[in-house]
C-alpha cells in the first residue's frame, strides 16, 4: 500500500501547477488564515476578568466561553477535513473564513454571555473548516522538494502563533478595551478571504466510496467526550459523575470509531491501519507530547511571572516570547536539518533539547532568582519543539495518500488539540499537587479560612496574605516557594516524558531518509524570511 504519492501536476479546473511566485502567495494566504485561527485560541485568556464583570458571569461561564471554541474546533476537524478533500479545498476555505469572520464580529459585539457562547461555537466551526485545509493546500500544491519548508512555516505559526496572539491581546487589553481582541482576527480573515478568492487554486479528490457519515459522527462524539474530560476534570473533579460519564462515552466512541473504520477499510474516513507505519505513529505521538509540554509550560509560567515575580499580564506575555520566537525560527530551519541528517534524527535532536530545557528550568528556578535563570531553559525548549514539530507534521501528511490530505491535516490538528488539553490537565495537576503538599506545613499561626484559601493556589495566597497581619510576609514567601516546588515537580515529570519519547522515536521514529534540499527559489523560504 503506497501512501506517499506525488503531488498532482494540475489543479481542479485544469489549471497548471503554480509557479514560484504563485506558491509564495498561496503560502502567505494560508499562513494569514491560520494565524487568525490560532490567535483566537489564546486571545480571550487575558480578558477573563473583563468578561466576568461586563457579562456579570461566573468563572465557570467565562471558562466555557474560552473552552467551547477549542471543543468545537477539535470535534469537527476530521469530518470537515474529509469533506474538504471531496468538495474542494478552496470552497471549504472560503466557507470557513466567511463563517469564522461573521462569528468573530458577532463575538466582538456580543451584548450577553449567551450570545458570546453561541458566537464562539460558530467561530470554532469556522476554524475547523480553515485549519486542516490550510495544511492540505500546502501538501497538495507544493512540489516535494519545497514542501518541507512550506510545512515549516505552517508549523512555526501553529506552534508560536498562539503566544504572539496572546501578546497582542494583552497589549490591546492594556491600552484599549477587551473587545478589540476580535479586531485582529477579523482583519486577518478579511485579508485571507480576499487573497483566497483571487490567488488560491482549487484542488479536490474524487472517491469511489460514499462519505463515511457514521465514522464522522462517532469521531465527533469521541473527541467531545475526551476533550471535555481534559478541560473540565480539573475544575469539576476527576471523580465527578459528569467527568466519569464523559470519559466513558469518549472511550466507548473511540473504540467504536476504530472498529468501524477497520470495518470500512478502504472506504473509511481515516484508515487506522496506517498507524502501523512509523511516520504516522511517530509523528502523532511526538506532536501529542510536544504540544502537551508547550501548553503545560504556560500553566506554570504565567502564575510564576504574575504571582511570584509580581509582573503584569503584558510583561508576563513578553517574557514568554523568546520561547515562541525560538520555536518559530527552529521550525523554519528544521527542513534544512532534516535534508542533511534525516527526519528521525532531527526529531530526536529536538526532543532532546526540549527535555534539557525542562530540566534546566527545574534546576535553576527560584523565588529570588527571577527571570534570567529560567531563560536558557525556555530557549532550549523553543528550539527543541520547533525542530521536532516540522518533521513530525511532514511525517503525518506523507503517511496518508494524496486524496486524504484534508484528513491527514485534520489528524495533525486533532493531535495538537489533544496534546494541548492533556498537557494543561497533567502538568497543571502536578503543579497544583506539588504546591499543596509543600504549603501544607507552612501555614501555622493563621486562621483556618486564610489557610484554606492559601492552599487553593499561589494567586489566592498572594491575595489573602494581606489579611493575615504580621504573618503576611511568611504566608507570601511560603506560597511563592511552594509554587516553585510544584514547578520543579512538573518540570522533572515533563523531562521524564520527553526522555521516554526520545527513546521511542530513536528506535521507532520515521525512516531516517534525508529529503531533497529545496532550491534557491524556494517560496517557503521567502515567506519565512519576510
Amino acid at each position: 500500500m503506497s501512501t506517499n504519492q506525488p503531488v498532482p501536476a494540475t489543479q481542479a479546473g485544469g489549471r497548471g501547477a503554480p509557479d514560484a511566485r504563485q506558491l509564495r502567495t498561496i503560502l502567505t494566504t494560508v499562513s494569514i488564515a491560520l494565524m487568525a485561527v490560532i490567535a483566537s485560541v489564546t486571545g480571550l485568556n487575558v480578558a477573563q476578568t473583563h468578561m466576568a464583570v461586563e457579562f456579570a458571569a461566573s468563572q465557570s461561564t467565562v471558562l466555557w466561553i474560552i473552552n467551547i471554541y477549542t471543543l468545537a474546533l477539535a470535534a469537527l476537524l476530521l469530518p470537515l477535513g474529509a469533506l474538504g478533500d471531496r468538495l474542494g479545498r478552496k470552497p471549504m476555505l472560503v466557507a470557513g473564513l466567511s463563517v469564522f469572520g461573521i462569528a468573530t464580529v458577532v463575538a466582538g459585539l456580543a451584548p450577553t454571555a449567551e450570545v458570546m457562547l453561541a458566537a464562539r461555537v460558530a467561530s470554532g466551526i469556522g476554524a475547523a473548516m480553515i485549519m486542516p485545509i490550510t495544511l492540505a493546500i500546502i501538501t497538495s500544491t507544493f512540489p516535494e522538494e519545497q514542501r518541507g519548508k512550506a510545512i515549516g512555516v505552517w508549523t512555526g505559526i501553529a506552534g508560536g502563533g498562539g503566544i504572539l496572539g496572546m501578546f497582542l491581546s494583552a497589549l490591546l487589553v492594556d491600552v484599549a478595551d477587551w473587545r478589540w481582541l476580535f479586531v485582529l482576527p477579523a482583519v486577518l480573515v478579511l485579508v485571507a478571504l480576499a487573497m483566497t478568492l483571487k490567488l488560491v487554486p482549487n484542488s479536490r479528490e474524487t472517491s469511489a466510496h460514499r462519505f463515511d457519515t457514521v465514522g464522522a459522527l462517532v469521531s465527533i462524539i469521541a473527541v467531545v467526550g475526551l476533550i471535555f474530560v481534559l478541560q473540565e476534570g480539573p475544575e469539576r473533579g476527576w471523580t465527578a459523575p459528569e467527568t466519569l460519564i464523559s470519559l466513558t462515552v469518549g472511550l466507548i466512541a473511540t473504540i467504536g470509531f476504530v472498529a468501524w473504520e477497520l470495518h470500512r477499510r478502504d472506504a473509511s474516513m481515516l484508515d487506522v491501519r496506517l498507524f502501523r507505519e512509523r511516520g504516522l505513529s511517530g509523528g502523532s505521538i511526538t506532536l501529542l507530547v510536544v504540544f502537551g509540554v508547550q501548553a503545560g509550560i504556560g500553566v506554570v509560567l504565567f502564575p510564576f511571572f504574575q504571582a511570584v515575580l509580581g509582573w503584569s499580564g503584558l510583561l508576563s506575555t513578553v517574557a514568554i516570547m523568546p520561547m515562541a520566537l525560538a520555536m518559530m525560527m527552529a521550525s523554519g530551519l528544521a527542513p534544512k536539518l532534516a535534508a542533511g541528517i534525516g527526519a528521525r534524527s532531527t526529531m530526536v535532536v529536538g526532543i532532546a533539547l526540549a527535555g534539557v530545557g525542562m530540566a534546566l528550568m527545574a534546576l535553576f528556578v527560584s523565588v529570588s532568582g527571577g527571570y534570567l535563570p529560567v531563560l536558557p531553559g525556555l530557549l532550549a525548549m523553543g528550539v527543541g519543539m520547533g525542530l521536532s514539530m516540522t518533521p513530525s507534521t511532514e511525517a503525518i501528511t506523507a503517511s496518508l495518500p494524496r486524496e486524504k490530505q484534508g484528513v491527514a491535516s485534520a489528524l495533525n490538528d486533532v493531535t495538537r488539540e489533544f496534546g494541548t488539553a492533556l498537557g494543561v490537565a497533567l502538568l497543571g495537576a502536578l503543579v497544583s499537587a506539588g504546591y499543596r503538599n509543600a504549603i501544607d506545613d507552612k501555614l501555622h499561626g493563621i486562621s483556618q479560612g486564610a489557610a484554606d484559601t492559601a492552599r487553593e493556589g499561589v494567586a489566592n495566597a498572594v491575595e489573602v496574605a494581606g489579611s493575615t497581619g504580621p504573618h503576611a510576609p511568611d504566608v507570601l514567601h511560603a506560597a511563592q516557594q511552594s509554587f516553585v516546588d510544584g514547578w520543579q515537580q512538573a518540570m522533572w515529570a515533563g523531562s521524564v516524558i520527553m526522555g521516554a519519547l526520545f527513546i521511542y522515536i530513536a528506535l521507532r521514529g520515521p525512516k531516517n531518509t534525508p529529503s531533497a534540499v529545496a532550491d534557491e527559489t524556494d517560496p517557503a523560504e521567502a515567506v519565512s524570511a519576510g
Side-chain angles (χ1 to χ4, degrees), residues 405-485:
Q405 282 306 295
V407 174
S409 305
L411 177 62
N412 174 79
D413 298 333
V414 169
T415 303
R416 291 166 181 262
E417 296 300 329
F418 266 113
T420 297
L422 186 61
V424 169
L426 177 60
L427 293 185
L430 288 173
V431 172
S432 297
Y435 171 83
R436 286 192 299 270
N437 292 336
I439 203 171
D440 270 341
D441 297 330
K442 301 175 183 177
L443 297 174
H444 303 297
I446 65 174
S447 67
Q448 185 63 40
D452 290 341
T453 300
R455 289 188 184 95
E456 293 176 2
V458 63
N460 306 78
V462 170
E463 186 174 346
V464 81
S467 66
T468 60
H471 297 286
D474 293 334
V475 171
L476 187 61
H477 178 74
Q480 293 172 337
Q481 184 57 53
S482 297
F483 181 81
V484 168
D485 292 343

Side-chain angles (χ1 to χ4, degrees), residues 38 105 111 217 275 289 291 338 399 422 431 489 502 525:
I38 298 299
V105 172
L217 293 175
F275 279 97
V289 174
F291 270 80
S399 297
L422 186 61
V431 172
Q489 179 174 308
F502 175 89
E525 191 169 46

Side-chain angles (χ1 to χ4, degrees), residues 169-248:
S169 298
L171 181 62
L172 286 171
V173 168
D174 274 11
V175 303
D177 184 83
W178 71 272
R179 291 185 182 272
W180 282 86
L181 298 178
F182 298 97
V183 172
L184 175 62
V187 171
L188 291 174
V189 163
L190 283 175
V191 174
L193 183 58
M195 294 179 69
T196 298
L197 290 170
K198 183 178 180 180
L199 303 170
V200 174
N202 189 25
S203 63
R204 56 177 294 185
E205 307 298 338
T206 58
S207 175
H209 308 286
R210 298 177 62 184
F211 181 72
D212 185 7
T213 304
V214 172
L217 293 175
V218 176
S219 74
I220 292 172
I221 296 171
V223 173
V224 168
L226 297 177
I227 292 287
F228 180 88
V229 169
L230 295 173
Q231 287 183 346
E232 296 296 311
E235 294 292 325
R236 299 171 184 261
W238 296 107
T239 57
E242 54 267 42
T243 304
L244 294 177
I245 291 172
S246 182
L247 177 62
T248 302

Side-chain angles (χ1 to χ4, degrees), residues 56-207:
S58 65
Q59 179 65 18
S60 176
T61 300
V62 171
L63 288 176
W64 265 111
I65 289 173
I66 294 171
N67 291 337
I68 196 70
Y69 173 84
T70 306
L71 190 63
L73 168 62
L76 294 172
L77 281 168
L78 274 176
L80 293 179
L83 275 176
D85 286 333
R86 287 172 174 258
L87 301 179
R89 294 169 184 126
K90 179 175 181 175
M92 181 63 77
L93 182 56
V94 169
L97 288 168
S98 301
V99 171
F100 185 87
I102 293 170
T104 298
V105 172
V106 172
L109 301 174
T112 65
E114 291 75 16
V115 174
M116 175 65 82
L117 276 168
R120 292 287 286 175
V121 172
S123 295
I125 295 171
M129 300 167 76
I130 296 169
M131 198 170 182
I133 296 304
T134 57
L135 183 56
I137 287 174
I138 290 174
T139 57
S140 62
T141 303
F142 277 72
E144 184 176 357
E145 67 273 11
Q146 298 174 3
R147 198 180 309 149
K149 287 192 175 181
I151 291 175
V153 173
W154 190 94
T155 55
I157 293 172
I163 298 173
L164 292 175
M166 189 177 293
F167 165 72
L168 293 174
S169 298
L171 181 62
L172 286 171
V173 168
D174 274 11
V175 303
D177 184 83
W178 71 272
R179 291 185 182 272
W180 282 86
L181 298 178
F182 298 97
V183 172
L184 175 62
V187 171
L188 291 174
V189 163
L190 283 175
V191 174
L193 183 58
M195 294 179 69
T196 298
L197 290 170
K198 183 178 180 180
L199 303 170
V200 174
N202 189 25
S203 63
R204 56 177 294 185
E205 307 298 338
T206 58
S207 175

